[in-house]
Amino acid sequence: MPEIMIFKEVIDQNSVPFIAFIENEGQYINGKWVNGKPTEIPMSGIILPLSNDDLKYVENGTYTVKEKKVYTTLPLDIGTQVMYKNDFYTIQAFKDYSEFTDVCIYLMRWREGVGLHD
């Protein structure tokens, strides 16, 4: 098996900030279910537009020019909302290269008008 390529330093040097909204578990209060409120977690990663190759091999349907991919060394759950440059995205797909590198690569799906409570 090949050695794992370590890109943490490259990611750290070239990353930009974004915010991940991690959902907290809900709870029953006075017999009524109350959804948990998301916690804002500052993160960083390399955020890039989708390449022509990405668009050629898409599995999840049609993408717009606003969709992006993020390279980060920290894992994110599919469905997590993130905010980057005041736009909201949803983490929708993950490319697993864990056999080869320490980088997690995710698709960030943009939708107009989507915010924390949508």
Side-chain angles (χ1 to χ4, degrees), residues 11-113:
I11 300 269
D12 290 345
Q13 289 176 356
N14 298 290
S15 65
V16 294
F18 65 93
I19 297 172
F21 296 92
I22 306 301
E23 291 292 328
N24 292 313
E25 288 193 28
Q27 61 182 336
Y28 284 98
I29 298 177
N30 296 326
K32 187 174 181 180
W33 181 258
V34 177
N35 290 328
K37 296 191 188 249
T39 301
E40 293 184 18
I41 306 294
M43 296 185 72
S44 63
I46 297 174
I47 296 178
L48 300 171
L50 297 181
S51 68
N52 287 337
D53 283 340
D54 293 327
L55 294 171
K56 189 187 317 182
Y57 298 109
V58 296
E59 298 174 6
N60 299 334
T62 306
Y63 296 120
T64 71
V65 294
K66 287 252 188 179
E67 264 76 55
K68 303 204 179 309
K69 56 187 169 182
V70 60
Y71 294 73
T72 181
T73 55
L74 298 173
L76 290 165
D77 290 331
I78 302 301
T80 299
Q81 281 198 338
V82 299
M83 185 175 66
Y84 171 65
K85 291 189 173 181
N86 294 319
D87 281 329
F88 284 93
Y89 298 84
T90 301
I91 299 298
Q92 196 171 49
F94 169 63
K95 291 185 180 178
D96 186 4
Y97 292 110
S98 58
E99 283 187 50
F100 311 106
T101 183
D102 61 338
V103 176
C104 301
I105 304 170
Y106 298 98
L107 169 70
M108 294 177 15
R109 187 80 188 235
W110 176 84
R111 289 214 175 46
E112 187 174 6

